Amino acid sequence: MSATEFKESIDHLESEKPQQLESLAERGHAVTDEHGNVLVEFDAAAEKRLVRKIDLFVVPTVAMIYLWCFIDRANIGNAKIAGMQKDLNLHGYRYNILLTSFYVSYILFEIPSNILCKWIGPAIWLPAITFLFGLMSMATAFVHSFGSAVVVRFLLGVFEAGVLPGIAYYLSRWYRKSELIFRLALYLCTAPLAGAFGGLLAGAILSLPGIGSVHSWQQLFLVEGIITMGVALIAFFTMTDHPNTARWLSDDEKALAIARVKSENVGTTEVTDKLDKKKLLAGIVNPNTLATSWIFLFVNVTVQGIAFFTPTIVATIYPNESIVRKQLWTVPPYVVGVVINLIIPFASWKTDRRLVFFISSACLAITGYIMFLATTNPRVRYGAVFFAISGSFPFGALCNAHVAVNVLSDSARSTAIGWNVMVGNIGGLISTWSYLPHDSPDFHIGNGLNLAGNCTILITSILLLLYLGADNKKRDKVTDDEVDAKLAGKTQLEIQELDWKHPAWRWHL
């Protein structure tokens, strides 16, 4: 379809009174004109009912998947102080190497996994990889050497790689740009919840006398791996790829769900497009994606460092406590983190702003690491853990939402989110070497690194806000006639492939 034919089809639709949501929701029909003007008025009450229904049927399943994804990744921190370090002879830097093996595969398979998620479909891909990483978690209970632990940890990274970007991409098919941030938070808040619940669960499991030949730390991996595989089997029956395939939506609700997502992407004629190389590349080279992924790198130095080393740090703060009590001391900071991880994205949703919350969250984390470095008082340093968790965990929702809402096509969104998480997890790789044995108990290197990282996040966020705001002002000066001239002679596919270069596009701040 040429740009002229596209305009004629829009004119035809505009002449129909009332607008037919069903026709606008069909593949091949846009819900905006070439200038980004929405061609239909949505019923606010119907939208509200639809969003509540989507929340009920979509969010709980992905939240459970991510909860157990994070538990299966981070339980190694609990296992370390419960005897794993001694049994597997993790002397020197072996524990750090074990953590690194996970991130090597986790980074390499990030983008390929998200492309496969789009190609195969989230409803099959996400439950499948959940079952497999649950299997790898269970297998960890039966390793008896450092080498075998490295292999299993590497495979765990292969299967977990697609979870965070896959879920973020999946949710972007269902929600408006302003709504997406809070829904991402609803499942990402399970990360700090996993820290709290993981500590409680670890304490309970470690209190068991043993399961056959499996004992102490091995029980953590066995029990939690089996639960994860159970969650995966449930997800096979509860997940659906997109609104068109949802049995729990009526035809009118399907049309509304599709049309409202298309309405926020200028010139978009389908919610789930076919794989397109130019669109895939557009998601990565987007300047917002590149800047946000740089921020997410430093975020993950903090987040993954907290996940892997909080039990160790707490153990140095309270060295005389029992193993079970040390596990339980890790719970309160994560509980506060869950609350903050919902409050900040909720405020972001209601204000439809993200970058200002990048800035405020970075300030919270900076406060925490200054406290770590400024004193050796156990109570103050324990309080610093609260600030570090509260300031860093909201970035999971903030960064992935900010990337997702600043691309146009479904293909570009899959690679943009995949790239963001891939680069971010280079930070996870760095975090495995941030807290070293010889730096204990004060961990000046690890805490200093995280302080510097969060200062970098703060500076980059301010610069990105200024850049995108200035570019929007520049785009506002482009007239409709100039937009028409730039689009003249282009096919509809060529117009879609412009993505963020489309003259009617505006950045979402």
Side-chain angles (χ1 to χ4, degrees):
M1 182 186 291
S2 68
T4 302
E5 291 170 331
F6 171 68
K7 190 174 188 308
E8 288 175 351
S9 69
I10 293 299
D11 291 340
H12 172 68
L13 284 170
E14 285 182 312
S15 67
E16 296 180 0
K17 302 294 181 182
Q19 290 284 4
Q20 296 299 313
L21 257 185
E22 290 80 2
S23 63
L24 288 172
E26 290 174 358
R27 180 179 292 274
H29 285 298
V31 184
T32 68
D33 63 18
E34 66 270 33
H35 305 297
N37 300 310
V38 181
L39 301 175
V40 62
E41 289 186 12
F42 293 99
D43 183 332
E47 272 203 271
K48 191 174 182 179
R49 289 193 298 271
L50 174 65
V51 171
R52 281 201 300 264
K53 198 169 186 178
I54 294 173
D55 287 342
L56 180 63
F57 281 89
V58 172
V59 175
T61 299
V62 296
M64 287 300 296
I65 287 175
Y66 193 69
L67 170 69
W68 289 100
C69 172
F70 206 85
I71 286 176
D72 287 350
R73 178 192 318 174
N75 57 9
I76 192 170
N78 301 100
K80 179 192 175 188
I81 65 172
M84 184 181 188
Q85 185 171 21
K86 180 181 178 181
D87 289 353
L88 297 186
N89 194 23
L90 301 180
H91 57 79
Y93 297 118
R94 281 191 166 191
Y95 179 68
N96 302 83
I97 294 170
L98 189 58
L99 298 183
T100 299
S101 65
F102 169 87
Y103 275 103
V104 170
S105 57
Y106 195 78
I107 292 167
L108 290 175
F109 286 88
E110 207 79 61
I111 292 179
S113 183
N114 231 33
I115 293 175
L116 284 170
C117 184
K118 175 176 175 55
W119 182 44
I120 295 173
I124 294 176
W125 182 250
L126 290 174
I129 60 176
T130 299
F131 185 87
L132 291 170
F133 74 68
L135 183 64
M136 290 304 101
S137 180
M138 185 180 71
T140 310
F142 302 98
V143 300
H144 297 288
S145 67
F146 169 68
S148 58
V150 168
V151 172
V152 172
R153 195 75 186 170
F154 181 89
L155 292 173
L156 181 69
V158 171
F159 301 125
E160 283 203 5
V163 175
L164 195 158
I167 294 175
Y169 161 66
Y170 175 60
L171 292 181
S172 71
R173 291 181 168 190
W174 295 87
Y175 292 102
R176 285 185 178 273
K177 295 180 187 296
S178 61
E179 298 165 348
L180 182 61
I181 175 72
F182 188 63
R183 275 67 193 183
L184 290 177
L186 287 174
Y187 91 82
L188 286 169
C189 77
T190 60
L193 184 62
F197 179 59
L200 291 172
L201 188 60
I205 294 173
L206 291 171
S207 299
L208 298 174
I211 304 173
S213 61
V214 177
H215 62 90
S216 65
W217 62 270
Q218 295 173 324
Q219 296 174 161
L220 290 178
F221 295 106
L222 177 64
V223 173
E224 292 171 359
I226 290 173
I227 294 173
T228 300
M229 289 189 287
V231 169
L233 293 175
I234 294 171
F236 271 115
F237 296 99
T238 60
M239 291 188 70
T240 183
D241 277 333
H242 46 72
N244 258 342
T245 60
R247 294 187 297 273
W248 40 271
L249 289 178
S250 67
D251 289 340
D252 288 343
E253 289 171 331
K254 290 177 182 179
L256 176 59
I258 294 168
R260 68 195 212 99
V261 173
K262 287 164 65 174
S263 71
E264 296 192 317
N265 295 301
V266 57
T268 298
T269 57
E270 61 272 324
V271 172
T272 53
D273 57 355
K274 294 180 180 179
L275 282 172
D276 181 285
K277 289 182 180 179
K278 289 185 178 180
K279 291 181 181 179
L280 292 172
L281 183 60
I284 296 174
V285 300
N286 182 307
N288 177 75
T289 300
L290 296 175
T292 305
S293 63
W294 170 251
I295 290 170
F296 204 45
L297 185 153
F298 291 101
V299 167
N300 273 277
V301 175
T302 300
V303 169
Q304 305 304 337
I306 287 171
F308 292 129
F309 294 101
T310 291
T312 300
I313 293 169
V314 170
T316 63
I317 295 174
Y318 298 104
N320 299 320
E321 298 281 7
S322 68
I323 290 177
V324 172
R325 284 186 66 84
K326 286 175 183 177
Q327 303 282 4
L328 296 178
W329 273 112
T330 66
V331 174
Y334 281 112
V335 173
V336 173
V338 170
V339 175
I340 299 298
N341 198 39
L342 289 174
I343 290 174
I344 289 178
F346 182 81
S348 175
W349 168 29
K350 292 304 179 181
T351 59
D352 197 17
R353 293 290 184 272
R354 283 153 297 279
L355 288 173
V356 292
F357 295 101
F358 278 45
I359 294 167
S360 59
S361 296
C363 290
L364 273 177
I366 288 170
T367 301
Y369 287 106
I370 289 175
M371 292 167 64
F372 263 126
L373 293 167
T375 181
T376 57
N377 182 292
R379 291 184 179 180
V380 175
R381 297 186 75 213
Y382 185 60
V385 177
F386 286 80
F387 279 95
I389 288 177
S390 298
S392 58
F393 275 82
F395 273 102
L398 289 168
C399 286
N400 283 292
H402 194 59
V403 164
V405 303
N406 278 299
V407 291
L408 274 171
S409 69
D410 187 65
S411 291
R413 195 169 295 111
S414 68
T415 50
I417 296 171
W419 176 267
N420 180 61
V421 178
M422 185 194 78
V423 174
N425 280 300
I426 295 174
L429 180 60
I430 294 170
S431 76
T432 63
W433 294 93
S434 58
Y435 291 89
L436 301 171
H438 66 78
D439 199 30
S440 177
D442 295 325
F443 296 108
H444 292 301
I445 295 173
N447 293 326
L449 173 64
N450 281 303
L451 175 60
N454 280 280
C455 288
T456 303
I457 291 169
L458 177 62
I459 293 168
T460 307
S461 299
I462 293 171
L463 292 176
L464 183 59
L465 177 62
L466 294 174
Y467 167 74
L468 296 183
D471 194 50
N472 274 351
K473 289 180 180 179
K474 183 179 178 182
R475 290 168 181 261
D476 287 339
K477 295 177 181 178
V478 179
T479 66
D480 286 352
D481 289 339
E482 289 173 322
V483 171
D484 292 338
K486 290 181 180 181
L487 299 180
K490 295 184 183 294
T491 65
Q492 180 57 30
L493 178 59
E494 289 172 334
I495 292 173
Q496 290 179 359
E497 288 175 346
L498 289 172
D499 207 83
W500 56 276
K501 294 181 180 179
H502 193 293
W505 169 257
R506 298 293 184 274
W507 299 106
H508 297 264
L509 306 181

